[in-house]
């Protein structure tokens, strides 16, 4: 039999959709001459062998990429190519198959993706740090700040000349229906704030229209099937607010200010240094790119998210994106030296970055951490912001993340500056954030490090966990 390659056309399948997911049923049964077959995805040179088990469905898929193809090799000369057309949502094929022993169904799935980095982006940004105030992201921050929730909030930066500019420009929009929608009880404030703010990051302007054309499709939330967020839910009203307020004119007028803000952020955040130090101390964890996203309106609410794309040519390209504040909180303090400002400001982004390194190592010691931190009241209370740290591992990670920052400070600043920054961090963690034992924990880790200078931070986990056990 001649080799037969079928490029499937969507019309050949019966289709069903669940939210944005597309499900397709192949109308014909493929016959295989053994109890195994092969599938290969176009981002990998190697086929995968699939063997029949006791179940009636064989399941194998991959994370999607635009233009991707999955090829099923089901006979000596027969193959079937299935193409992905549903970026960024999932696309699932059900293909009936007949082996010599029985009938079964192969479920081939292209999984939804929250980001896809094309080759040009990867080439440009490998080993690169980007800092930016994205236009759609700043629009979201302005809208939230003007909303009833934002006006009541205490975690936003509403003490700057820039905030006064925002109030003056957008005053005619205070009765806009979008703002009325953003009025939430305190109990759900942070969940909705992050949902609205962070998911605006995936949008950009094409002309004056807000669009989502990648490379990011979804940042955070509960809806990983169709990537719905508060920002996308209210997109027509967001668009109307932007148009009627002439937001794009406001953004253009303030571009010199934004550029100055980016420059100052670069001066007080030596991200390349942090990145290099962390990958030396956590050698099993590597990132290819970092991006710092901020707004002059953000106060103290920060987050970090990771995105990745794999290709056969460049391997895994992973990028960590951090959403942080600007430098106002320390620049307005005239008593601080430039080095003190840098150390304090670096703590904001460092303690976002190093979760990427600390958390995976903690997972290896999860059982020990669970038993050691089971008595939560020894380590922190469960109210306010701390209620989000709802497991022993998450509490330990918060301790370890901030203590690792203090180790970096000791390695990168003269002792007077290092002492000042570390004392400030300990006060923040104990007095404001109520991680009661942080100072003792931090000093214990510093002591362990001093006695084991030839060891990486990753290798110090057993020793600091042994110390933690004695505190119970």
């Amino acid at each position: 039999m001649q080799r037969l390659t079928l490029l499937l056309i969507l019309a050949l399948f019966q289709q069903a959709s669940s939210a944005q997911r597309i499900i397709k049923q192949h109308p014909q049964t493929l016959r295989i001459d053994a109890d195994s077959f092969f599938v290969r995805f176009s981002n990998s040179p190697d086929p995968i062998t699939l063997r029949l088990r006791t179940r009636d469905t064989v399941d194998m898929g991959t994370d999607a990429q635009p233009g991707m193809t999955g090829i099923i090799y089901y006979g000596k000369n027969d193959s079937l190519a299935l193409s992905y057309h549903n970026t960024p949502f999932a696309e699932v094929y059900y293909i009936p198959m007949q082996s010599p022993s029985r009938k079964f169904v192969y479920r081939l799935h292209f999984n939804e993706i929250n980001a896809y980095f094309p080759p040009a982006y990867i080439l440009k940004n490998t080993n690169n740090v980007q800092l930016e105030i994205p236009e759609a992201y700043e629009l979201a921050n302005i809208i939230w700040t003007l909303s009833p929730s934002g006006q009541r909030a205490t975690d936003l930066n509403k003490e700057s000349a820039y905030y006064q500019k925002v109030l003056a420009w957008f005053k005619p929009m205070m009765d806009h229906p979008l703002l009325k929608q953003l009025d939430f009880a305190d109990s759900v404030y942070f969940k909705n704030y992050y949902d609205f703010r962070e998911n605006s990051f995936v949008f950009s302007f094409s002309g004056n229209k807000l669009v989502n054309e990648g490379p990011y499709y979804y940042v955070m939330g509960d809806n990983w099937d169709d990537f719905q967020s508060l920002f996308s839910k209210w997109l027509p009203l967001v668009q109307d607010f932007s148009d009627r307020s002439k937001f794009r004119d406001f953004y253009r007028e303030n571009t010199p200010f934004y550029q100055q803000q980016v420059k100052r952020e670069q001066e007080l955040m030596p991200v390349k240094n942090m990145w290099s130090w962390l990958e030396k101390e956590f050698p099993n964890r590597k990132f290819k790119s970092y991006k710092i996203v901020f707004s002059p309106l953000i106060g103290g609410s920060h987050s970090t998210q990771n995105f990745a794309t794999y290709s056969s040519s460049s391997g895994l390209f992973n990028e960590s994106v951090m959403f942080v504040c600007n430098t106002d909180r320390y620049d307005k303090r005239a008593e601080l030296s430039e080095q003190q400002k840098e150390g304090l400001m670096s703590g904001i982004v460092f303690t976002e970055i190093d979760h990427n390194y600390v958390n995976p190592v903690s997972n290896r010691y999860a059982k020990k951490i669970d038993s050691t931190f089971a008595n939560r009241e020894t380590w922190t209370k469960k109210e306010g912001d701390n209620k989000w740290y709802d497991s022993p591992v998450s509490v330990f990670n918060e301790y370890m993340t901030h203590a690792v920052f203090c180790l970096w400070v000791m390695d990168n600043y003269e002792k007077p500056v290092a002492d000042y920054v570390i004392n400030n961090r300990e006060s923040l963690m104990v007095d404001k954030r109520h991680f009661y034992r942080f100072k003792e924990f931090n000093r214990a880790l510093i002591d362990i490090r001093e006695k084991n200078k030839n060891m990486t931070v990753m290798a110090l986990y057993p020793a600091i966990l042994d110390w933690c056990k004695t505190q119970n």
Side-chain angles (χ1 to χ4, degrees), residues 221-235:
D222 300 326
N223 197 326
W224 287 89
D225 288 328
D226 59 1
F227 294 163
Q228 285 298 304
S229 66
L230 280 179
F231 193 87
S232 60
K233 175 183 178 181
W234 299 115
L235 188 60

Side-chain angles (χ1 to χ4, degrees), residues 273-290:
N273 176 294
M274 303 176 199
W275 184 359
S276 175
W277 186 91
L278 280 164
E279 297 201 348
K280 176 174 69 73
E281 300 294 340
F282 294 83
N284 293 345
R285 188 72 164 160
K286 303 293 182 184
F287 277 84
K288 297 292 183 66
S289 174
Y290 275 95

Side-chain angles (χ1 to χ4, degrees), residues 337 339-341 343 409 413-422:
S337 70
Q339 283 287 287
Q340 287 173 330
K341 289 179 181 179
V409 168
Y413 294 93
E414 296 295 329
K415 189 175 188 305
V417 174
D419 287 346
Y420 177 84
V421 174
I422 290 170

Side-chain angles (χ1 to χ4, degrees), residues 268 330 333 336-348 350-351 402-429 438 442-443 446:
L268 294 188
Y330 299 121
R333 293 175 57 183
L336 296 177
S337 70
E338 193 72 357
Q339 283 287 287
Q340 287 173 330
K341 289 179 181 179
E342 182 184 296
L344 293 171
M345 191 69 195
S346 292
I348 293 171
F350 190 101
T351 53
H402 290 264
V404 170
F405 165 66
C406 293
L407 296 182
W408 175 80
V409 168
M410 291 182 63
D411 284 355
N412 286 277
Y413 294 93
E414 296 295 329
K415 189 175 188 305
V417 174
D419 287 346
Y420 177 84
V421 174
I422 290 170
N423 288 336
N424 181 277
R425 181 62 45 167
E426 289 173 345
S427 177
L428 168 70
M429 291 294 286
F438 179 76
N442 192 44
R443 299 294 165 158
I446 289 172

